[in-house]
Amino acid sequence: MKLKGLLLRYYPPGIMLEYEKSGELRTKSIDLLNLSSSTDVNALVEEIQKAEPLITASRSDLVKLLIQRLQDKLRQHSNHKFYLFKVLRAHILPLTNVALNKSGSCFITGSYDRTCKVWDTASGEELHTLEGHRNVVYAIAFNNPYGDKIATGSFDKTCKLWSVETGKCYHTFRGHTAEIVCLSFNPQSTLVATGSMDTTAKLWDIQSGEEVFTLTGHSAEIISLSFNTSGKRIITGSFDHTVAVWEADTGRKVYTLIGHCAEISSALSNWDCSLIVTGSMDKTCMLWDATNGKCVATLTGHDDEILDSCFDYTGKLIATASADGTARVFSAATRKCITKLEGHEGEISKISFNPQGNHILTGSADKTARIWDAQTGQCLQVLEGHTDEIFSCAFNYKGNIIITGSKDNTCRIWR
């Protein structure tokens, strides 16, 4: 939504303000972590206005509208049953990754066949094949919440930037000396960061196609990379057992999170950028204070490697997925385990919350994905049909579409 000099975006679980100040684009997030379906919207907007000078009286109606829309999303009945909508045999060679755009209207698949394909979710039709890489296309992403660009990272050591609309390649980013295995856009969609087996991460300017910084300091492969929600920090996880936090605008390393005693599998921050969670092959997750890099808790209980971990959109809950076939939900405040998700018969490699935060999605080597109640740990639904392990599964932003990717070479759309 555009207002003179101010852009408002819904960016769960809050509102992102974008505005120009002395010719420079600035962003600011207003969190709505405590918003519920019964919140008094008028009182909340008054509170926001007091704290946020950018929300003038003339703009408050627009903010009200956005918050009411958010409330509607929260009210959407939480007993939704997903059904199989489409099976897509996406590529001849194995899939590497799948990703949805914000609305869920289209999604992308990466493959060993050296391409990335863009699909229309509603029809299951292929919109574009993005060709040009000379090796496996491994890491793929949309520049959400905008969704007009795609980045692909390849074993050919390059990253390419593409137009969603035309399928045309804008830039090829060259500079890594080994495979690119992870990548991420910053929330403002001005930068792409790539992580490589060459132990470095690089930042690239989307407009010019130029390299901005190389982040050097890890002593082994970087396999996890993310921006925090403000876009000011980059978090990299490495096979060297450490996680590094970097300043996006200078490339300076802020600190290194040292404590795990095996490879890192995931590392990311919560919505308000106050905490970082890291998962490791050492069977633990660690929780870190993002302001000073100090460890505030070690989350234990799994009997095998942690393969994935995540925060819910409010940052109040942490979910962990393990090779032991179980997942767990912890409270970020008390650091205690709230519930265990038991039922899978193989390792769980992917875990995520729906945007409302009441359900959890897991994907497993047992060929199923499951939906769980985040508070009780009850399994609400088993998504069956894949004939080999599921390595990727995701909700769209509304939480009403799920996509699963499997080693059986199909993607399934559930809605």
Side-chain angles (χ1 to χ4, degrees):
M1 294 188 181
K2 189 84 175 173
L3 285 164
K4 254 207 183 83
L6 178 71
L7 186 68
L8 285 167
R9 282 184 187 283
Y10 159 51
Y11 200 83
I15 293 171
M16 188 81 88
L17 306 178
E18 290 190 1
Y19 59 98
E20 264 187 50
K21 195 171 180 182
S22 49
E24 216 180 294
L25 187 67
R26 306 276 180 96
T27 58
K28 188 162 188 180
S29 56
I30 295 176
D31 76 48
L32 299 169
L33 303 184
N34 300 317
L35 181 70
S36 75
S37 53
S38 57
T39 303
D40 177 342
V41 176
N42 290 333
L44 178 60
V45 171
E46 265 177 45
E47 238 175 85
I48 290 173
Q49 268 183 284
K50 280 179 198 153
E52 187 45 75
L54 286 169
I55 306 294
T56 55
S58 61
R59 289 168 172 164
S60 63
D61 285 347
L62 192 57
V63 176
K64 263 180 215 166
L65 182 68
L66 264 182
I67 292 173
Q68 279 159 351
R69 280 196 197 163
L70 272 170
Q71 265 188 328
D72 291 341
K73 284 184 201 303
L74 290 169
R75 284 194 196 101
Q76 280 168 358
H77 44 278
S78 56
N79 56 357
H80 176 74
K81 278 275 183 271
F82 287 87
Y83 69 93
L84 178 62
F85 175 65
K86 281 232 166 15
V87 180
L88 299 177
R89 193 160 294 282
H91 298 262
I92 299 162
L93 292 177
L95 290 168
T96 54
N97 258 309
V98 301
L100 279 156
N101 70 347
K102 179 181 166 179
S103 66
S105 63
C106 68
F107 68 95
I108 48 178
T109 54
S111 169
Y112 276 79
D113 69 9
R114 307 180 177 192
T115 72
C116 173
K117 292 189 177 187
V118 187
W119 305 85
D120 179 79
T121 311
S123 65
E125 276 177 44
E126 185 184 312
L127 299 173
H128 303 293
T129 298
L130 310 180
E131 290 179 297
H133 281 296
R134 297 181 170 188
N135 208 327
V136 175
V137 173
Y138 192 74
I140 56 176
F142 280 100
N143 64 333
N144 289 336
Y146 306 90
D148 62 332
K149 295 184 182 74
I150 292 163
T152 55
S154 169
F155 286 1
D156 70 7
K157 310 173 194 171
T158 73
C159 171
K160 288 178 182 281
L161 184 72
W162 312 79
S163 159
V164 172
E165 199 184 337
T166 64
K168 159 178 161 286
C169 180
Y170 290 122
H171 299 297
T172 299
F173 303 125
R174 292 186 173 86
H176 281 296
T177 56
E179 296 90 332
I180 292 173
V181 291
C182 48
L183 56 77
S184 178
F185 284 95
N186 66 340
Q188 294 81 9
S189 192
T190 54
L191 298 170
V192 164
T194 51
S196 167
M197 302 294 266
D198 67 11
T199 77
T200 73
K202 286 179 184 283
L203 285 184
W204 313 86
D205 184 292
I206 282 176
Q207 266 331 99
S208 68
E210 298 298 314
E211 181 181 319
V212 186
F213 299 117
T214 298
L215 311 181
T216 314
H218 282 295
S219 58
E221 300 92 324
I222 291 176
I223 49 90
S224 156
L225 181 150
S226 60
F227 283 88
N228 69 357
T229 44
S230 71
K232 289 178 180 160
R233 300 263 165 109
I234 299 154
I235 303 160
T236 54
S238 169
F239 274 4
D240 67 10
H241 308 181
T242 73
V243 171
V245 179
W246 317 77
E247 275 179 0
D249 57 355
T250 64
R252 183 182 73 88
K253 192 199 287 186
V254 185
Y255 42 68
T256 304
L257 310 181
I258 299 171
H260 283 295
C261 49
E263 292 92 335
I264 304 297
S265 56
S266 62
L268 65 172
S269 88
N270 63 345
W271 162 260
D272 69 5
C273 308
S274 61
L275 291 170
I276 292 169
V277 70
T278 56
S280 167
M281 304 297 185
D282 67 9
K283 308 178 190 178
T284 73
C285 264
M286 293 178 95
L287 203 55
W288 311 79
D289 182 329
T291 55
N292 57 22
K294 298 271 184 289
C295 177
V296 293
T298 301
L299 310 178
T300 59
H302 282 294
D303 301 325
D304 208 337
E305 300 169 345
I306 306 263
L307 301 178
D308 197 19
S309 59
C310 64
F311 284 101
D312 71 343
Y313 280 119
T314 68
K316 289 176 180 166
L317 299 176
I318 298 158
T320 58
S322 170
D324 67 13
T326 73
R328 286 169 183 252
V329 182
F330 294 85
S331 158
T334 66
R335 291 90 196 239
K336 297 274 185 289
C337 180
I338 296 169
T339 186
K340 261 173 101 169
L341 314 182
E342 295 176 300
H344 277 299
E345 289 164 19
E347 64 179 37
I348 303 172
S349 62
K350 271 285 181 287
I351 193 159
S352 58
F353 285 87
N354 68 342
Q356 291 82 359
N358 57 344
H359 293 165
I360 289 171
L361 174 65
T362 53
S364 168
D366 69 7
K367 308 172 190 173
T368 72
R370 288 176 182 242
I371 300 163
W372 313 79
D373 184 298
Q375 291 296 331
T376 66
Q378 180 194 354
C379 179
L380 303 173
Q381 198 177 347
V382 182
L383 306 181
E384 292 177 294
H386 280 295
T387 57
D388 204 338
E389 62 186 78
I390 292 173
F391 58 78
S392 192
C393 56
F395 283 103
N396 65 335
Y397 273 39
K398 274 191 188 158
N400 60 354
I401 298 171
I402 288 172
I403 187 143
T404 52
S406 163
K407 286 193 177 166
D408 67 11
N409 250 13
T410 68
C411 282
R412 288 174 181 245
I413 304 165
W414 314 77
R415 51 194 318 172

